[in-house]
Amino acid sequence: MSQAVFNRYEKKYILPKEIYFELREKIKDRMVEDEYGLSTICNIYYDTADKELIRKSIDKPVYKEKLRIRSYGVPSETSKVFVEIKKKYNKIVNKRRISMPLDVAYRLVEEKDIDAFKGEDYQDKQILAELAFFLDKYDLEKSIYLAYDRIAMKCLTDDFRLTFDTNIRARFSDMGLEKGDTGNLLLPPDYHLMETKILGSTPMWFARIMSDLSVFPTSFSKYGNFYRRSIEKYRPIANLSHRLDNWKATSNKVALQMYL
């Protein structure tokens, strides 16, 4: 059974390909790809008509929440997907999700048809109750389709995970998970978004590696950046990628600020 509840700290880093390959070399004796390895993750994020959820999230409140339907690969209408509520309070990420066929997920979220899914156990019923509360609280509609190619890794000795996302892409039309995974890119194609996922503190060996590479965490929201670009009419990525070239002369936080 897939894990249904997650509680952890998450930090994000922007890595150019040179730093990515150097990092992979440095962690090769401590971390391995998990059972998912490389996969394409596809999401539909739901929001209100006036984008209340993402606007609040961009303001960096102490508490924020999102709802999405997620699949691994492009699903059919009967493929299993996850309906997820993702919350963040005081830097701790809590994710609760249940699995169901895609057509049932659409009915549950878009028609608020809670009876479309029958919880199989106590945990399912608890999460379903939270979903019902969320759907009653907000009048939701499809807001963005967002996909990326992810390599997931786990540590051999610590309770520590890494993910590397590339080809982060999105679209604001044809927002069905079953309609393919095409979209406009968020970052230049040779950059990775890395996330660390930990229950406690970052392992000291990993902190040393990141210090040696002069790479530092940054605040970065995939949905948030696509949303801001859509309303502020950002210039195409091709015209901005040169700003990120001289990576070793600066931190990733500075580079990200130049890019955005």
Side-chain angles (χ1 to χ4, degrees):
M1 181 177 178
S2 298
Q3 187 176 356
V5 179
F6 304 80
N7 290 284
R8 60 201 181 194
Y9 292 95
E10 296 181 352
K11 293 183 179 180
K12 298 179 181 180
Y13 306 77
I14 305 294
L15 307 179
K17 64 179 180 180
E18 295 85 359
I19 298 294
Y20 167 74
F21 287 120
E22 192 171 350
L23 174 61
R24 287 294 302 267
E25 179 66 22
K26 288 179 178 293
I27 66 175
K28 68 180 183 180
D29 295 328
R30 292 182 178 268
M31 303 196 72
V32 295
E33 292 186 13
D34 69 9
E35 61 272 21
Y36 296 103
L38 174 63
S39 58
T40 297
I41 299 180
C42 309
N43 309 271
I44 292 177
Y45 282 84
Y46 286 80
D47 210 329
T48 61
D50 64 354
K51 310 301 183 185
E52 177 183 353
L53 297 178
I54 191 57
R55 287 189 293 105
K56 286 181 178 179
S57 179
I58 288 173
D59 288 339
K60 303 186 188 304
V62 173
Y63 173 80
K64 57 185 177 182
E65 56 190 355
K66 299 175 183 176
L67 187 146
R68 66 192 177 200
I69 300 178
R70 166 171 288 188
S71 67
Y72 293 84
V74 178
S76 68
E77 290 190 354
T78 57
S79 297
K80 290 286 187 178
V81 300
F82 292 96
V83 180
E84 301 182 346
I85 297 176
K86 186 174 183 179
K87 305 176 183 180
K88 189 173 185 179
Y89 175 73
N90 199 23
K91 299 183 180 180
I92 298 177
V93 175
N94 173 273
K95 185 169 70 176
R96 306 175 74 79
R97 69 184 190 179
I98 49 179
S99 178
M100 63 191 71
L102 178 58
D103 56 350
V104 175
Y106 284 151
R107 285 173 53 197
L108 188 153
V109 176
E110 297 174 13
E111 300 175 23
K112 301 186 179 183
D113 185 0
I114 299 300
D115 293 332
F117 175 76
K118 305 296 182 181
E120 297 177 358
D121 54 30
Y122 177 78
Q123 189 175 71
D124 280 349
K125 292 177 181 178
Q126 287 293 104
I127 297 174
L128 194 65
E130 292 187 37
L131 280 168
F133 180 82
F134 197 106
L135 294 171
D136 186 60
K137 183 179 179 181
Y138 301 105
D139 187 13
L140 299 176
E141 60 185 34
K142 287 187 178 79
S143 180
I144 186 174
Y145 173 92
L146 200 155
Y148 38 90
D149 303 323
R150 167 169 287 182
I151 295 175
M153 305 191 71
K154 61 182 179 181
C155 185
L156 296 172
T157 57
D158 300 286
D159 191 0
F160 177 63
R161 295 174 59 83
L162 290 176
T163 59
F164 298 97
D165 297 339
T166 55
N167 300 320
I168 303 169
R169 53 209 186 266
R171 61 179 186 259
F172 294 94
S173 60
D174 293 325
M175 286 187 289
L177 287 175
E178 73 281 7
K179 295 182 179 180
D181 63 353
T182 59
N184 295 319
L185 289 177
L186 178 60
L187 294 172
D190 53 352
Y191 278 73
H192 292 72
L193 173 64
M194 181 181 75
E195 294 185 38
T196 62
K197 303 172 189 296
I198 53 178
L199 297 177
S201 59
T202 302
M204 186 59 67
W205 62 264
F206 185 77
R208 291 194 187 100
I209 290 174
M210 300 304 284
S211 178
D212 290 343
L213 294 175
S214 298
V215 176
F216 307 98
T218 186
S219 176
F220 189 89
S221 165
K222 301 181 185 80
Y223 179 14
N225 278 290
F226 273 117
Y227 169 70
R228 293 199 299 178
R229 180 180 296 169
S230 73
I231 63 173
E232 296 176 14
K233 297 182 180 180
Y234 279 39
R235 288 175 291 170
I237 270 181
N239 295 332
L240 293 173
S241 60
H242 68 280
R243 298 189 182 188
L244 298 176
D245 287 341
N246 191 15
W247 184 265
K248 291 190 176 180
T250 185
S251 73
N252 63 327
K253 182 178 291 188
V254 174
L256 180 61
Q257 289 171 346
M258 290 192 298
Y259 170 67
L260 295 177

